[in-house]
Amino acid sequence: MSKVEDFLTKEEEQEIVQAISASEKNTSGEIRVHIENHTEKPPLERAQEVFHLLGMDATELRNGVLFYVGVADHTFAIIGDEGIDKVVENDFWDCTRDIVISNFKEKKFKDGLVAGILRAGERLEHYFPFSAGDKNELSNEISKG
């Protein structure tokens, strides 16, 4: 059985955190990655729960994005808060998910997450550009359950 600890190397985790930092440099948006082993809940439902647990629904502009990975369950979900959800094109989340999953199918987990993060960062920058006084409201570290 796959485990959270074995999903990414420490180096890969750092590359993901760097991608989050780079993406957030030009936006007031917040991006998080959460990895856990197993849940009984459907991935989208669990992602929404984690989104709330991480305080992502408390950002000033409601522009957080969560990448959720269930390692043993082989599940993935991406969700955005209402601020970004209202402005991105209708197929944005599906297209971003497809980019991540196509990499996951090739066991390129880090590459998939980085590609998705950078794509989300581009949209966040477009709709929520960085302005003076913006601060990093949430940790860029990968959370694990």
Side-chain angles (χ1 to χ4, degrees):
M1 181 187 278
S2 302
K3 290 191 181 121
V4 171
E5 300 80 37
D6 302 329
F7 184 66
L8 298 165
T9 66
K10 290 283 181 219
E11 293 78 19
E12 289 172 328
E13 284 189 20
Q14 278 311 114
E15 287 182 57
I16 290 167
V17 170
Q18 288 169 352
I20 292 170
S21 297
S23 293
E24 289 183 357
K25 186 176 62 179
N26 300 313
T27 178
S28 63
E30 296 288 338
I31 300 172
R32 297 286 317 259
V33 173
H34 181 80
I35 302 171
E36 61 186 20
N37 209 40
H38 170 72
T39 181
E40 296 295 326
K41 298 180 179 175
L44 204 51
E45 182 182 326
R46 179 61 182 149
Q48 290 166 335
E49 191 174 85
V50 169
F51 195 91
H52 178 70
L53 290 171
L54 294 175
M56 295 188 69
D57 52 357
T59 61
E60 186 177 350
L61 297 176
R62 301 294 300 264
N63 56 359
V65 176
L66 175 67
F67 289 78
Y68 170 85
V69 181
V71 178
D73 301 328
H74 301 284
T75 56
F76 173 77
I78 178 174
I79 60 170
D81 206 347
E82 62 186 34
I84 187 166
D85 213 26
K86 286 180 187 173
V87 295
V88 292
E89 48 280 1
N90 290 337
D91 65 344
F92 175 76
W93 300 118
D94 292 339
C95 292
T96 305
R97 180 199 65 218
D98 293 348
I99 290 167
V100 175
I101 288 175
S102 68
N103 278 278
F104 278 19
K105 286 180 178 173
E106 297 176 25
K107 306 278 188 242
K108 297 180 189 172
F109 304 115
K110 185 255 319 170
D111 292 344
L113 287 168
V114 166
I117 289 163
L118 294 176
R119 186 170 196 275
E122 288 172 5
R123 302 318 287 152
L124 283 167
E125 180 180 355
H126 179 77
Y127 292 109
F128 302 95
F130 185 86
S131 61
D134 282 343
K135 64 182 189 314
N136 192 6
E137 296 180 75
L138 300 170
S139 169
N140 294 345
E141 295 301 312
I142 296 170
S143 62
K144 297 178 182 173

